[in-house]
Amino acid sequence: MSSNENKDIDEVTGTDTTGHSWDGIKELNNPLPRWWLWCFYMTIVWAIAYTVAYPAWPMVSKATTGLLGYSTRAEVAQDIARFEEANAEISVQLASADLNVLNENPELLRFANSAGAAVFRNNCSQCHGSGAAGAVGYPNLLDDDWLWGGDFENIEYTVRHGIRNEEDWDARWSEMTAYDDIFSNEEVDQVVQYVRLISNQEHDATLAAAGEGLFLDNCAACHGENGMGSRDLGAPNLTDAIWLYGGSVETLEETVRYARFGVMPPWGERLSEAEVKAVTAYVHQLGGGE
């Protein structure tokens, strides 16, 4: 018996089929178009040439370098070096500038704000947000409520040394006592309701009255007798509507019981002098600077 007798020939085209059929539709065994084949072969040749010429195959610690020695990292480094060279003179001016009189030099001010925005996006936005509006536990830099002050000098100090970190001995430092083992459950409720009272929120008047004495005896040393806080100590104002962790009953109870301990890294050793000045100027002009 010949091989043709074993083939399934399509009656309409006279072409043999692959034997595959879907819903009565048979697949013809036609050869691939020549243009398609040539394109396919060209992609294979291109792929081989590319892997030889450019970095391609991953190795244990790095990829193959390629015969052309091309590197995207090297390109970026060249671009950075080019821009740094172009801005070298004005960067030196900014590094030695007195930020309090920066407004007197419009060109330097524009450069500081532009460079500071880039520094902020690369290093600060992960916590404070791209728009600097902050998040739970991370201060809003757009308002005028500053724990340690919002003038140029204080902002620069905070940027340079950070907050409650163990890397810089000059970091700003404050630590709230955790009262979970000091106050009874009832006393925690009383203090929470008193804080709700002085912050003009809905509260239990009876519990708040009982909490006033506890607040004055335990909390006023840092937050002040009126609860308005202390910038020198980094103690927040409890009478306004600005909360770092929230002002709800549940959040306040957690704060009283377990305290808070936010940390900011020091940037003085990671950024250049000009970058520290630039990001300071940028944060100051966001709207909350003093």
Side-chain angles (χ1 to χ4, degrees), residues 72-262:
T72 55
R73 291 180 181 273
E75 277 195 347
V76 172
Q78 291 173 1
D79 287 340
I80 292 175
R82 179 163 53 87
F83 282 105
E84 286 181 346
E85 182 179 359
N87 295 321
E89 182 177 347
I90 197 167
S91 293
V92 171
Q93 293 181 39
L94 180 58
S96 59
D98 181 353
L99 295 179
N100 290 300
V101 294
L102 194 60
N103 289 331
E104 299 176 6
N105 188 333
E107 181 184 2
L108 188 60
L109 177 62
R110 285 193 298 271
F111 174 75
N113 288 333
S114 177
V119 174
F120 185 91
R121 286 192 296 269
N122 289 336
N123 301 280
C124 315
S125 62
Q126 293 85 346
C127 294
H128 293 285
S130 58
V136 176
Y138 301 102
N140 182 350
L141 303 178
L142 304 177
D143 57 29
D144 58 355
D145 194 69
W146 298 89
L147 289 179
W148 276 282
D151 57 19
F152 282 117
E153 182 179 355
N154 279 305
I155 294 175
E156 182 180 347
Y157 188 96
T158 300
V159 170
R160 193 178 298 279
H161 302 291
I163 298 171
R164 303 187 194 92
N165 63 74
E166 297 182 355
E167 303 171 45
D168 192 321
W169 285 99
D170 292 320
R172 298 200 185 275
W173 198 275
S174 66
E175 186 170 358
M176 177 180 169
T177 302
Y179 286 94
D180 189 49
D181 294 328
I182 300 174
F183 288 166
S184 65
N185 291 335
E186 183 180 11
E187 288 174 328
V188 169
D189 292 338
Q190 291 170 350
V191 171
V192 167
Q193 291 302 318
Y194 179 73
V195 173
R196 298 270 295 179
L197 166 64
I198 63 176
S199 59
N200 295 315
Q201 299 187 81
E202 184 179 344
H203 60 277
D204 184 304
T206 303
L207 292 176
E212 181 177 5
L214 289 168
F215 183 90
L216 293 175
D217 291 341
N218 297 275
C219 313
C222 294
H223 293 286
E225 293 184 359
N226 55 8
M228 296 185 68
S230 169
R231 287 190 171 185
D232 292 337
L233 300 176
N237 183 349
L238 303 178
T239 65
D240 57 22
I242 299 175
W243 299 95
L244 191 54
Y245 292 92
S248 67
V249 173
E250 295 77 12
T251 304
L252 288 173
E253 180 179 341
E254 183 177 352
T255 300
V256 171
R257 287 187 182 278
Y258 308 113
R260 306 289 184 175
F261 197 79

